[in-house]
Amino acid sequence: QVQLVESGGGLAQAGGSLRLYCAASGRTFSSYAMGWFRQAPGKEREFVAAIRWSGVRTYYADSVKGRFTISRDNAKNTVYLQMNSLKPEDTAVYYCAARDDSGRPYYRINEYDYWGQGTQVTVSS
């Protein structure tokens, strides 16, 4: 079992930055791949970024590539999402998720077994 708690959301201006945190409980955190997803009002939840257990391999949605960076610290059971050059269209609830690191596609929502409650990110123009 893994429990996930997101933090770091808030209000930012377009062009600004925010850093999201996802704190995980459980001794097996370092064996899980981790992902960030987001859901805007009236839209489906979508993939943002993912990182494999070692932190070496990362994956990004085209919409955030070059602006967002996912990283993790297995010693602290924490995964991060650094968001730069924010745009109003980045406004959403951001969710952290965990799954086994099996190599199946990391952008697929239904591959993830554990989810946090989400943190709101609002970007003003």
Side-chain angles (χ1 to χ4, degrees):
Q1 281 281 4
V2 177
Q3 293 185 327
L4 305 172
V5 178
E6 303 96 335
S7 62
L11 178 64
Q13 291 189 334
S17 298
L18 284 174
R19 185 173 172 92
L20 303 185
Y21 304 81
C22 175
S25 65
R27 295 177 295 173
T28 58
F29 169 79
S30 61
S31 67
Y32 285 95
M34 301 296 296
W36 284 97
F37 293 78
R38 67 186 182 187
Q39 188 166 17
K43 295 187 177 181
E44 294 187 350
R45 194 170 298 189
E46 65 176 6
F47 170 73
V48 175
I51 187 168
R52 298 193 66 171
W53 71 272
S54 66
V56 174
R57 292 295 304 272
T58 57
Y59 309 87
Y60 295 93
D62 288 342
S63 59
V64 306
K65 202 171 293 184
R67 300 188 298 121
F68 291 10
T69 302
I70 188 171
S71 61
R72 66 190 295 164
D73 185 338
N74 287 340
K76 296 182 178 179
N77 280 14
T78 302
V79 63
Y80 309 93
L81 185 68
Q82 178 66 42
M83 305 186 295
N84 298 330
S85 302
L86 284 164
K87 303 176 180 180
E89 51 263 44
D90 294 320
T91 295
V93 177
Y94 283 71
Y95 297 90
C96 175
R99 52 162 284 178
D100 65 275
D101 199 349
S102 61
R104 295 190 300 274
Y106 293 89
Y107 58 85
R108 289 182 182 166
I109 291 177
N110 60 4
E111 295 285 355
Y112 289 79
D113 300 309
Y114 305 102
W115 291 83
Q117 294 300 305
T119 185
Q120 176 70 47
V121 171
T122 303
V123 183
S124 62
S125 57

